[in-house]
Amino acid sequence: MDLKADTAPTTRRRGAELENAILAAAWDVLSEQGYAGFTYEAIAARAGTSRPVLYRRWQRREDLLIATIVWARETSPVEVPDTGSIREDTIRYLRSADAARAWMVALASVRLAEYFRETGTTFSDLRERILPADMRPTLEVIAARAVERGEIPDRPRPARVLSLPFDLLRHEMLMTQRPVADGVITAIVDDIWLPLLRGPACPGG
């Protein structure tokens, strides 16, 4: 994902403009150098500003890291399709997620290894911190729409069942470190998720 900061501004930047430039620069540093190189000095130099400007906004390096990943995530939103078909919605969502979120899986598995060791946290912990607390999972929304249309039975389903397509997609990203083949995406939907949603009630559901 190419998210470049303007490192040679011609006018004094303030407020949101300055913060956006800092976070864009921080993303570039993180992508290129990993957490080891993710320092206030490197980011300030890349953004064309000073360390005190960064410290005033983010007193801890971890806070700056979280803000940077949230910024990058919001810069590359994933489409939430509504085609009128659960199959088409899910396939389109997984394709969009593959295109927009592969960077996060690669980042977490390679560039953030030192961060996880230093903090004793996991990718799951990081995900909890960067997602809005009130955010409804996309696949839950897609499934709820399908229930309303009568495509799948109306019954409770465990959260793990609803998140399964993205979990399998993420596993594929992690194992291959490359874009997920379209045949894999359709197999996740046609061979695994839809039969699961339409079949007998799941244990615990």
Side-chain angles (χ1 to χ4, degrees), residues 10 50 106 114 132 135 155:
T10 57
S50 65
E114 183 176 335
M135 178 180 176
R155 60 178 177 236

Side-chain angles (χ1 to χ4, degrees), residues 95-171:
R95 286 172 178 162
S96 180
D98 179 50
R101 294 288 179 263
W103 60 268
M104 179 173 285
V105 174
L107 180 76
S109 61
V110 179
R111 297 301 192 185
L112 291 182
E114 183 176 335
Y115 165 75
F116 292 133
R117 286 195 298 268
E118 181 179 299
T119 61
T121 59
T122 65
F123 179 78
S124 180
D125 297 324
L126 177 63
R127 185 172 180 271
E128 289 296 320
R129 293 193 63 180
I130 66 175
L131 291 179
D134 59 349
M135 178 180 176
R136 190 180 184 191
T138 299
L139 288 165
E140 181 180 317
V141 173
I142 289 174
R145 290 172 179 166
V147 168
E148 292 174 359
R149 293 191 297 263
E151 289 186 276
I152 58 175
D154 183 5
R155 60 178 177 236
R157 292 179 172 88
R160 287 188 181 276
V161 170
L162 294 174
S163 68
L164 185 59
F166 185 78
D167 293 341
L168 293 174
L169 181 78
R170 183 171 53 212
H171 174 76

Side-chain angles (χ1 to χ4, degrees), residues 2-194:
D2 186 15
L3 303 170
K4 298 295 183 183
D6 182 357
T7 57
T10 57
T11 59
R12 186 177 180 86
R13 298 163 299 175
R14 298 178 183 276
E17 180 186 4
L18 175 59
E19 186 165 309
N20 185 70
I22 292 171
L23 293 174
W27 173 256
D28 287 343
V29 171
L30 183 63
S31 300
E32 295 168 9
Q33 304 179 36
Y35 189 65
F38 189 78
T39 65
Y40 285 90
E41 293 82 358
I43 296 165
R46 179 67 67 95
T49 188
S50 65
R51 287 183 297 169
V53 170
L54 272 66
Y55 280 116
R56 282 198 294 270
R57 289 166 170 78
W58 305 281
Q59 295 182 1
R60 299 185 307 160
R61 185 165 68 137
E62 183 178 1
D63 296 333
L64 178 54
L65 174 70
I66 298 301
T68 299
I69 296 175
V70 169
W71 175 87
R73 185 179 184 279
E74 292 177 348
T75 303
S76 300
V78 176
E79 175 194 4
V80 184
D82 187 7
T83 66
S85 161
I86 184 174
R87 180 182 186 274
E88 189 63 26
D89 284 352
T90 309
I91 289 174
R92 289 192 182 188
Y93 167 67
L94 294 180
R95 286 172 178 162
S96 180
D98 179 50
R101 294 288 179 263
W103 60 268
M104 179 173 285
V105 174
L107 180 76
S109 61
V110 179
R111 297 301 192 185
L112 291 182
E114 183 176 335
Y115 165 75
F116 292 133
R117 286 195 298 268
E118 181 179 299
T119 61
T121 59
T122 65
F123 179 78
S124 180
D125 297 324
L126 177 63
R127 185 172 180 271
E128 289 296 320
R129 293 193 63 180
I130 66 175
L131 291 179
D134 59 349
M135 178 180 176
R136 190 180 184 191
T138 299
L139 288 165
E140 181 180 317
V141 173
I142 289 174
R145 290 172 179 166
V147 168
E148 292 174 359
R149 293 191 297 263
E151 289 186 276
I152 58 175
D154 183 5
R155 60 178 177 236
R157 292 179 172 88
R160 287 188 181 276
V161 170
L162 294 174
S163 68
L164 185 59
F166 185 78
D167 293 341
L168 293 174
L169 181 78
R170 183 171 53 212
H171 174 76
E172 192 74 18
M173 291 176 184
L174 181 62
M175 295 303 291
T176 65
Q177 294 291 304
R178 61 173 62 96
V180 178
D182 204 57
V184 173
I185 289 176
T186 56
I188 288 172
V189 177
D190 291 340
D191 300 341
I192 301 173
W193 202 48
L194 291 182

